[in-house]
């Protein structure tokens, strides 16, 4: 069952009762600028170990605490609903702005949870807003944002996917696990920092990509005009690699290459592919 609170009744009633000749009244309704307010402030929710959020324009923060809780500060014309079923917290905020315009005040969704719990899944779909997840255990993390930054610090994670069109992606892995990572941005930078990454895919159009940690299996990093910097704690002999750029420079352990650097070993299970059109590439392996 979804719990919800909506304040559309008055606006809709006015719109339906205004005569056709009342153009000024209709314009007043359509140009109404709603204010942000706290719709939900629950501090004693039942336990949950999965979270799914769909939101148009709220900043989303996960906050370790002593309790399970939820706080939603949104707009009159956005329709916040939430539910907990089978230990899954689901939050939906619908954009009903056909009858008004929202102002520029900050809106947010705060998720509170005991800091020692382990999430099964966290799934976030956001149009405009930042996502912040501090040092948190989660098996599978999926974040898709159109305009906003993604900042995540996770532990014991099997799989991460993070996508944004206009925004930076910063992901830190604080565990020894082999974590699969898939990231993509158009105009933002990507940075992932961890001990071991498994089958990395990182794509950016104009942003830079920076990676710290070890890479296992096949990893691919691609940009159009962004630079690529990789610091790997494994020796170069543990990798096959295919590195290329059209108009940038390449440096591997301070050795410079013009357009391409390749080394293939069929007996090596680890491979690294880095491609860019006009960006520079620098890779530092353990010496």
């Amino acid at each position: 069952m979804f719990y919800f609170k909506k304040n559309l009744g008055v606006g809709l009633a006015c719109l339906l009762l205004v005569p056709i000749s009342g153009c000024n009244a209709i314009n007043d309704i359509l140009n109404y600028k709603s204010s942000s307010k706290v719709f939900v402030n629950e501090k004693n929710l039942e336990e949950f170990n999965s979270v799914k959020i769909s939101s148009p324009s709220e900043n989303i923060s996960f906050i370790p605490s002593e309790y399970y809780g939820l706080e939603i500060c949104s707009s009159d014309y956005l329709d916040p609903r939430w539910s907990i079923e089978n230990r899954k917290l689901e939050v939906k905020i619908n954009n009903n702005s056909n009858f008004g315009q929202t102002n520029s005040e900050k809106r947010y969704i705060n998720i509170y949870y005991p800091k020692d719990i382990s999430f099964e899944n966290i799934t976030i779909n956001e149009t405009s807003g930042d996502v912040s997840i501090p040092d948190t255990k989660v098996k599978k993390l999926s974040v898709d944002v159109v305009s906003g930054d993604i900042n995540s610090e996770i532990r014991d994670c099997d799989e991460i996917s993070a996508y944004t069109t206009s925004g930076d992606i910063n992901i830190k892995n604080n565990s020894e696990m082999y974590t699969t990572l898939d990231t993509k941005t158009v105009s933002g930078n990507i940075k992932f920092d961890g001990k071991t990454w498994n089958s990395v895919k990182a794509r950016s159009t104009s942003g830079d990509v920076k990676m710290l940690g070890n890479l296992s299996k096949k990893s691919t990093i691609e940009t159009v005009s962004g630079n690529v910097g990789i610091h790997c704690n494994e020796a170069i002999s543990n990798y096959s690699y295919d590195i290329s750029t059209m108009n940038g420079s390449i440096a591997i352990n301070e050795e410079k290459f013009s357009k391409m650097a390749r080394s293939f070993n069929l007996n090596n299970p680890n491979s690294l592919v880095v491609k860019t059109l006009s960006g520079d590439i620098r890779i530092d392996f353990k010496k």
Side-chain angles (χ1 to χ4, degrees):
M1 176 183 295
F2 270 98
Y3 302 91
F4 64 94
K5 187 168 183 179
K6 55 192 294 186
N7 292 333
L8 291 175
V10 175
L12 287 172
C14 291
L15 181 62
L16 294 174
L17 294 175
V18 170
I20 296 176
S21 59
C23 295
N24 291 333
I26 292 176
N27 287 332
D28 289 341
I29 293 173
L30 293 179
N31 291 325
Y32 172 76
K33 293 187 180 294
S34 61
S35 60
S36 299
K37 61 181 65 176
V38 176
F39 283 88
V40 178
N41 189 4
E42 299 285 346
K43 294 184 177 180
N44 291 292
L45 296 180
E46 60 184 280
E47 292 184 7
F48 53 85
N49 64 0
S50 292
V51 177
K52 182 178 181 180
I53 301 175
S54 299
S55 168
S57 55
E58 281 72 23
N59 291 327
I60 299 173
S61 298
F62 284 69
I63 303 173
S65 182
E66 302 297 326
Y67 56 88
Y68 292 90
L70 172 65
E71 186 178 10
I72 301 176
C73 179
S74 189
S75 169
D76 293 340
Y77 277 91
L78 301 177
D79 183 15
R81 304 178 179 223
W82 65 276
S83 68
I84 299 179
E85 293 183 5
N86 299 320
R87 300 189 70 190
K88 179 180 181 180
L89 171 63
E90 185 168 359
V91 179
K92 290 183 178 180
I93 299 183
N94 300 315
N95 190 351
N96 292 323
S97 58
N98 292 333
F99 297 98
Q101 302 174 3
T102 59
N103 62 14
S104 59
E105 292 183 32
K106 288 293 184 181
R107 297 180 290 272
Y108 60 83
I109 300 171
N110 290 338
I111 308 293
Y112 299 91
Y113 55 95
K115 60 183 179 180
D116 58 343
I117 75 162
S118 179
F119 287 102
E120 290 291 328
N121 293 281
I122 295 176
T123 303
I124 299 171
N125 290 286
E126 173 89 320
T127 302
S128 175
D130 298 333
V131 175
S132 176
I133 304 175
D135 192 13
T136 300
K137 293 181 180 180
V138 54
K139 288 186 178 180
K140 184 176 181 180
L141 173 64
S142 176
V143 183
D144 193 339
V145 178
V146 177
S147 177
D149 297 334
I150 300 172
N151 293 287
S152 174
E153 187 175 351
I154 53 88
R155 288 178 288 141
D156 301 339
C157 190
D158 294 328
E159 181 179 344
I160 301 173
S161 58
Y163 312 115
T164 180
T165 301
S166 175
D168 295 335
I169 300 174
N170 295 287
I171 297 176
K172 186 174 183 180
N173 183 8
N174 287 335
S175 67
E176 300 283 351
M177 293 184 63
Y178 288 80
T179 302
T180 300
L181 177 65
D182 187 359
T183 63
K184 184 177 181 180
T185 182
V186 175
S187 59
N189 298 320
I190 298 174
K191 180 180 180 181
F192 47 105
D193 181 358
K195 295 182 179 179
T196 304
W197 298 101
N198 186 33
S199 300
V200 168
K201 292 182 180 179
R203 291 145 292 172
S204 177
T205 301
S206 60
D208 298 336
V209 178
K210 295 181 180 180
M211 191 285 294
L212 291 86
N214 298 331
L215 296 168
S216 66
K217 296 185 178 180
K218 182 177 181 179
S219 296
T220 303
I221 298 174
E222 298 178 335
T223 76
V224 176
S225 59
N227 299 322
V228 177
I230 299 174
H231 182 81
C232 184
N233 295 324
E234 293 280 351
I236 191 171
S237 58
N238 293 336
Y239 292 89
S240 296
Y241 55 85
D242 184 0
I243 316 297
S244 63
T245 180
M246 292 290 292
N247 298 305
S249 62
I250 299 174
I252 301 177
N253 284 357
E254 299 181 357
E255 182 180 356
K256 295 182 179 180
F257 301 83
S258 57
K259 302 292 183 182
M260 184 179 300
R262 288 179 174 175
S263 176
F264 296 105
N265 184 351
L266 297 178
N267 296 322
N268 198 326
N270 302 320
S271 65
L272 174 62
V273 177
V274 181
K275 296 182 179 181
T276 179
L277 290 180
S278 60
D280 297 331
I281 300 172
R282 174 164 180 168
I283 304 175
D284 294 314
F285 291 99
K286 181 180 179 180
K287 295 181 180 180

